[in-house]
Amino acid sequence: MAGRDPHESNRAATPLELLFDLTFVVAFGISASQVAHALAGAHVAAGLAAFAFAMFAVCWAWINFSWFASAYDTDDWIYRLTTMLQMVGVIVLALGLPQLYSSIEHGGHVDNRVVVAGYVVMRTAMVAQWLRAARQDPPRRRACLTYALWITVAQIGWVAAIFVHTSVLVTAAIVLTLVLVEMLGPLIAETRQGGTPWHAHHIVERYGLFTIIALGEGVVGTVASLSAVVGEQGWSVEAVFVGVAGTGLTFGMWWTYFVLPQADILHARRERSFWFGYLHILVYASIVATGAGLHAAAYYIEHHTELGSVATVLSVVIPVGVYIVMVYALYAVMTHNSPVLHVLLLAGVAAVLGLAVLLAANGISMATCLLVVTLAPVVSVVGYELRGHRHAARAVARTGSEA
């Protein structure tokens, strides 16, 4: 583990990394289905609180593994077995999510025992990886030990949190504190102790692939909604609308994400890696929440929900809006530029999403409202195909010249 070359040519995701990512499909799927169930029962606040906790745990574990692998992937037998142990931790965490949602939904003590157990398994394996890197990469020993130290401190905190039987609000405060502790390790190691040799193009590819995995929840949500329509009405125009809406929404979100060549910017300005790395947690959460919203729409169509039409449409509109805003936020922090075009496109997106809610309030069918929501990413796609790609090319060129 002497460290990979951060300028290595043709660096790409490995088969082991892709296998590792598959375990997160389960975690995303359970998170989406659980929050959709909570929304259908009108437990909105509880569902969102549990969803936030779950998404941080899942995304943070993936982020730490991916950046470590970018710097120290030796692909030997020790590395492979340690990665398998982390995969076991992800599965355990995913299996504990229903208990977590249920405990928060019923207003009692937050039951995070299984979730934390899975998380600790993942993070303990990660500590072993960092200690191995510290021993075998002397020039970066301090940075690797810093990662190992703060991960260990955070895990002690997470284990202690299991035994704190208190309200959801107090638990949330504890979680936020531990999140800050988790972030201290990377911040100190990368800014004050020389950092690690991660590969910019490899990292961006990994994030893009993980985005596609998260978008899979949109496909699952589409199938759920379409099945609900067909089950209620048979094949009809409404069914076609739902199928086109879900598929088009997922495809439009995918298209929107890849408008900016982020790898070139990250390669030139490595100090912007923290914004790139951590803002994606909100990107992934909004994508999975969109899939959950489509699940909630399926419950509405089947008449198995306590939410009204407007609230159900909002369960899709809000995460879609957050997603598009976060894509533009990533553009702004990576390029240090916010063109007027983005303001206009965001205004267009807001108008489309507002129209969908207005239609729902006036009794228009759920399928039609979802079809209108699909136009939100289309606004961004059309804007970029006509003019935005020129802005992006100039932004990348300017960033490279400044570096």
Side-chain angles (χ1 to χ4, degrees), residues 228-262:
V229 173
V230 173
E232 287 289 319
Q233 307 171 5
W235 285 99
S236 62
V237 174
E238 293 282 292
V240 173
F241 278 11
V242 169
V244 172
T247 305
L249 183 59
T250 303
F251 195 83
M253 293 171 73
W254 166 82
W255 198 327
T256 303
Y257 178 83
F258 291 98
V259 297
L260 180 67
Q262 301 179 87

Side-chain angles (χ1 to χ4, degrees), residues 50-176:
F51 181 74
F53 184 96
M55 288 305 299
F56 172 79
V58 170
C59 293
W60 187 259
W62 180 86
I63 286 171
N64 274 242
F65 168 82
S66 296
W67 288 81
F68 176 87
S70 188
Y72 290 107
D73 182 2
T74 57
D75 199 33
D76 58 2
W77 69 271
I78 300 176
Y79 180 86
R80 290 186 175 190
L81 291 180
T82 309
T83 301
M84 185 188 72
L85 182 59
Q86 290 176 268
M87 293 170 65
V88 171
V90 176
I91 294 172
V92 173
L93 183 152
L95 294 176
L97 291 176
Q99 293 174 238
L100 173 70
Y101 277 87
S102 179
S103 64
I104 295 178
E105 185 176 325
H106 292 94
H109 165 60
V110 178
D111 188 355
N112 59 355
R113 290 172 297 175
V114 179
V115 170
V116 170
Y119 190 64
V120 170
V121 169
M122 287 187 291
R123 306 298 277 149
T124 300
M126 198 74 257
V127 169
Q129 294 274 45
W130 281 115
L131 291 177
R132 186 183 178 208
R135 182 170 61 86
Q136 297 182 0
D137 188 12
R140 302 183 182 91
R141 177 180 174 82
R142 289 184 61 202
C144 294
L145 289 177
T146 297
Y147 272 104
L149 170 65
W150 286 102
I151 290 174
T152 302
V153 170
Q155 298 329 292
I156 294 172
W158 288 118
V159 173
I162 295 177
F163 303 99
V164 179
H165 291 205
T166 184
S167 66
V168 174
L169 290 178
V170 175
T171 301
I174 294 172
V175 168
L176 288 176

Side-chain angles (χ1 to χ4, degrees), residues 329-390:
L330 273 170
Y331 183 107
V333 299
M334 293 300 289
T335 64
H336 285 188
N337 181 42
S338 298
V340 175
L341 175 64
H342 285 187
V343 177
L344 297 175
L345 292 178
L346 285 173
V349 168
V352 169
L353 296 178
L355 176 61
V357 176
L358 182 63
L359 292 175
N362 284 275
I364 303 301
S365 71
M366 182 60 59
T368 303
C369 293
L370 292 179
L371 195 61
V372 173
V373 174
T374 302
L375 297 177
V378 172
V379 172
S380 293
V381 169
V382 172
Y384 256 84
E385 289 302 308
L386 293 177
R387 295 192 60 183
H389 65 279
R390 299 185 184 90

